[in-house]
Amino acid sequence: MEGGPLAGKTVLVTREKEQAKTFSEKLRQAGATPIEIPLISISPSSHHEKMERCVRQLSDYDWLIFTSANGVRFFFPFVKKETPLPKVVVVGKKTAAALKAYGVSPAVVPSEFVAEGVIEALKPLVKPRDRVLFVKGNLARPVLRDALTEMGAEVTELVVYETTLNEAGKEQLLALLREKKLDVMTFTSSSTVRSFSSMVEEKDVRSLLNGCVIACIGPITKETAEKAGLPVHICPDEYTIDGMIKAMEQYFAK
């Protein structure tokens, strides 16, 4: 889009390589120039035996929870098409869309796209001794598991993917920051913040970030960034890529 608030802005995309493409395309449509430097890598879990066992026992569960599209992506290849599913809960529209690709409609999509939103949505629904299969990544916060346990549910956690820090683009990123070539740095998860913090641990971060706007996708990522000493300028009300771009446009339109 020519002449929009993001026209001419260079935006760093730190998402995992596969997920960066959609974000970059939406940024181009908004007139920005994306630069992709993935700060995390995502790979399937090696816990195949546990995954196969949980899938065989799906009918024993009352609830099946996904907190990310990656959970859906790495779980469903193990599920046969005709397998009956428990009531499915997802965090966010993107996770719901990923689920739709497998022909599944969620029973619950909370209005707030974080684990705390799931907790509030499930409080009136989950009964004591309900069995919950919580599909997640290795770095998922314990807050949802703990809350479900307090509700009296029996929670099985199933790690289906692993997130690791990716420092392959470290020198490119530091060069861009030193040369002041980035207008916006985007963080779409706490993991991307931690990876960045690891890269700049011994550097003068304030000097490197001088003149660069920082955008975080939601309150959890923002909190992680601020705890790491990063100034956060943009955090959308809707915790999605579209919400993030809209918030960036509003920021630069002022």
Side-chain angles (χ1 to χ4, degrees):
M1 182 175 66
E2 293 185 5
L6 291 183
K9 302 296 183 187
T10 301
V11 180
L12 182 71
V13 176
T14 61
R15 304 198 90 182
E16 185 257 349
K17 188 177 178 181
E18 286 299 314
Q19 296 180 316
K21 295 174 186 173
T22 303
F23 192 9
S24 293
E25 182 53 36
K26 288 177 181 285
L27 285 168
R28 287 190 194 94
Q29 290 171 4
T33 301
I35 294 180
E36 295 179 13
I37 301 181
L39 297 189
I40 57 173
S41 297
I42 294 177
S43 57
S45 165
S46 58
H47 302 281
H48 286 187
E49 192 175 323
K50 183 175 181 181
M51 291 168 70
E52 288 168 353
R53 186 170 66 250
C54 286
V55 167
R56 283 197 304 271
Q57 298 171 344
L58 270 177
S59 60
D60 293 343
Y61 293 95
D62 299 288
W63 300 92
L64 174 60
I65 299 179
F66 297 96
T67 55
S68 73
N70 281 321
V72 175
R73 171 185 165 195
F74 290 109
F75 177 78
F76 269 92
F78 287 83
V79 182
K80 292 181 181 176
K81 195 172 181 179
E82 65 274 14
T83 303
L85 298 176
K87 289 168 283 191
V88 179
V89 183
V90 299
V91 175
K93 295 176 182 175
K94 188 177 176 185
T95 310
L99 197 63
K100 190 176 180 181
Y102 291 96
V104 179
S105 297
V108 178
V109 183
S111 56
E112 192 179 9
F113 299 164
V114 290
E116 286 78 356
V118 175
I119 294 168
E120 289 305 310
L122 289 181
K123 273 181 181 175
L125 302 174
V126 170
K127 301 179 183 69
R129 292 186 294 282
D130 270 4
R131 298 195 68 196
V132 178
L133 181 59
F134 177 18
V135 177
K136 61 178 209 170
N138 61 316
L139 301 182
R141 295 181 298 142
V143 59
L144 179 54
R145 176 203 63 198
D146 293 349
L148 287 164
T149 302
E150 285 182 13
M151 292 177 204
E154 299 174 13
V155 182
T156 300
E157 296 179 282
L158 180 63
V159 174
V160 298
Y161 67 93
E162 309 266 351
T163 301
T164 55
L165 306 188
N166 179 2
E167 296 198 357
K170 178 177 179 178
E171 294 308 318
Q172 181 190 3
L173 173 56
L174 291 176
L176 288 168
L177 289 170
R178 289 191 192 103
E179 295 165 14
K180 304 302 177 191
K181 290 185 175 178
L182 296 177
D183 296 297
V184 186
M185 282 192 67
T186 62
F187 293 109
T188 49
S189 68
S190 292
S191 301
T192 58
V193 174
R194 293 190 187 100
S195 184
F196 175 73
S197 297
S198 173
M199 290 182 188
V200 299
E201 190 175 15
E202 297 176 0
K203 307 289 188 303
D204 183 350
V205 179
R206 286 191 175 277
S207 175
L208 281 174
L209 294 176
N210 186 29
C212 181
V213 168
I214 292 181
C216 291
I217 197 167
I220 305 301
T221 304
K222 179 184 178 187
E223 182 181 347
T224 304
E226 290 177 338
K227 282 183 178 176
L230 307 181
V232 178
H233 306 88
I234 297 169
C235 184
D237 294 328
E238 182 180 295
Y239 318 147
T240 64
I241 292 303
D242 290 333
M244 206 172 183
I245 291 174
K246 183 179 178 182
M248 281 193 270
E249 289 176 326
Q250 290 170 340
Y251 180 88
F252 286 106
K254 292 176 183 174

